[in-house]
Amino acid sequence: MRIENHPILEFKRGNEIKFYFDGEEIIGYEGDTVASALHAAGVRVLGESVFKHRPRGFYCAIGNCSSCLMTVNGESNVRTCITPLKEKMTVEIQKGKGEIL
Amino acid sequence: MKTTDIVIVGGGPAGLTAAISAASSGAEVTIFERSPQIGGQLIKQTHMFFGSEKQYASHRGFRIADYLLDELNKYKDKVKIYKNATVLGIYEDGVITVDLDGEYIKMLPKRIIVATGANEKIIPFPGNDLPGVYGAGAVQTLMNVYGVKPADKVLMVGAGNIGLIVSYQLMQAGVEVAAIITDLFITGYHVHASKIARMGVPILSGYTVKEIVGEEQVEKAIIAKIDKQWNIIEGTDIEYDVDAVCLSVGLSPLVELLGQANCELRFISELGGYVPIRNLDYRTTNENIFVAGDITGIEEASSAMVEGYIAGLTAAKDIACIHDDYENKISDYRNQLDGLRSGPHSGRLRQGIEKLMGGNK
Ligand SMILES: Cc1cc2nc3c(=O)[nH]c(=O)nc-3n(C[C@H](O)[C@H](O)[C@H](O)COP(=O)(O)OP(=O)(O)OC[C@H]3O[C@@H](n4cnc5c(N)ncnc54)[C@H](O)[C@@H]3O)c2cc1C
Ligand code: FES
């Protein structure tokens, strides 16, 4: 969900950006990261742990912890919390360690 | 290979002031910042800062980032700022490698100032890996930078300044705060705590998280009282139906790059964990590498800025770019740091610095 009224901040959202999460079309805004756009759309499970396959979400949101790794435009292990959202991005839940090349 | 006088890793308050100092001394500076925005933790601080006038106290944090950028703009022919640029490594020969918007680049600067800030800690309890268990700073980023509501109802763990301030900001964003819990007592400023208590949020001391329950994500938090040995006291459980749990249980300096670059580190719990050994010039044991900000020990933006000013001056002087007013500025900054660290809240910090520096503060 987006914050609409805030006592101190005014959120000027940029243009709408269309992207795909596991094939489903989602709308975010210019200025979003992949993770913020997903969260706003109600997606909190971003991946699964490598060995026990437990659900994973973001933790630090500033690029430190790697809890938010996903496959973006075919590239695995992308820290989605600091990756700016771009038009027509494909974002996928990553199973396992991901392909390196 | 690309080269420059000084590379600064991290565009938070410490990195920005280091850049101002170095550029005003005549050095050419390149800042690499991993986030899409410049300003580090400042950009999500909507509250009025504490500290003193010289470090913009009583201004809102996110404005301070703008002031620093304006100041830096005066030297724009000397300064290059790259966003979406994660520094990946610092090698023995002084080469640094960077992921710049997906492109891999190398650079050989004359000096490096590392101002990477800190990492939010986590504590062990069943379910601490579930989506919905978030760092308090992370939640702050989500709501104040991106304008996204992090959750409907949260439990805040930790009653230091960050826990208290983020709880208040959650309520400003329309999120309900079920309670704030802390193991021992409230360590944040009491003005913040009383403001929150007046808003009807219970602050419970002597509690810890027993378990977080949820299938795919946080559905319920169970807290319980602890005894003096930190054991859970049976029969004291309280359950909260929350969809997020925020942890504000401390920060640790982000020193990985320094470790890789052979800078000697020492564990000092009062400073938040491993910190670089450094001298009064903020030079590490690798003579080409300087440090400033939370990476030198967890403090505040005010001291991070002053440390940055110092490291920028000393690193520039090292390559013969000497500020016209070098001596006066250095001694003024050292006095400012002493002032910032002299308050009654800074006892632990002073102990930590004493352990690190011995007699040479
Ligand atoms: C909720 C909260 C409230 C606070 N309130 C106050 C207050 O009222 N007054 C006060 O003085 N202080 C306050 N602080 C503390 C203050 O924000 C920090 O002490 C300060 O931001 C530290 O500055 P820094 O430059 O060292 O680190 P940061 O601000 O963390 O900046 C470090 C930067 O380095 C970047 N980085 C890290 N690794 C890399 C890499 N490998 N490559 C490229 N870039 C990298 C990061 O993305 C970040 O932007 C508060 C903090 C929080 C979380
Ligand atoms: S949530 Fe920590 S790196 Fe993205």
Side-chain angles (χ1 to χ4, degrees), chain B residues 153-156 175-180 200-204 240-242:
Chain B
K153 191 171 176 184
V154 312
L155 172 74
M156 177 65 70
V175 179
E176 191 182 336
V177 179
I180 303 175
V201 177
I203 305 180
L204 307 175
Y240 294 103
D241 287 324
V242 290

Side-chain angles (χ1 to χ4, degrees), chain B residues 18 26 30 100 104 112 145 150 155 161 176 199-200 203 210 241 263 284 294 320 344:
Chain B
T30 301
L100 177 56
Y104 180 77
I112 302 172
V145 178
L155 172 74
N161 276 325
E176 191 182 336
M199 293 171 83
I203 305 180
K210 187 174 174 187
D241 287 324
C263 301
T284 66
D294 274 352

Side-chain angles (χ1 to χ4, degrees), chain A residues 35 57-69 79-82, chain B residues 138:
Chain A
F58 69 82
Y59 182 70
C60 73
I62 53 170
N64 282 341
C65 74
S66 297
S67 189
C68 62
L69 299 184
R79 288 169 301 171
T80 53
C81 71
I82 54 163

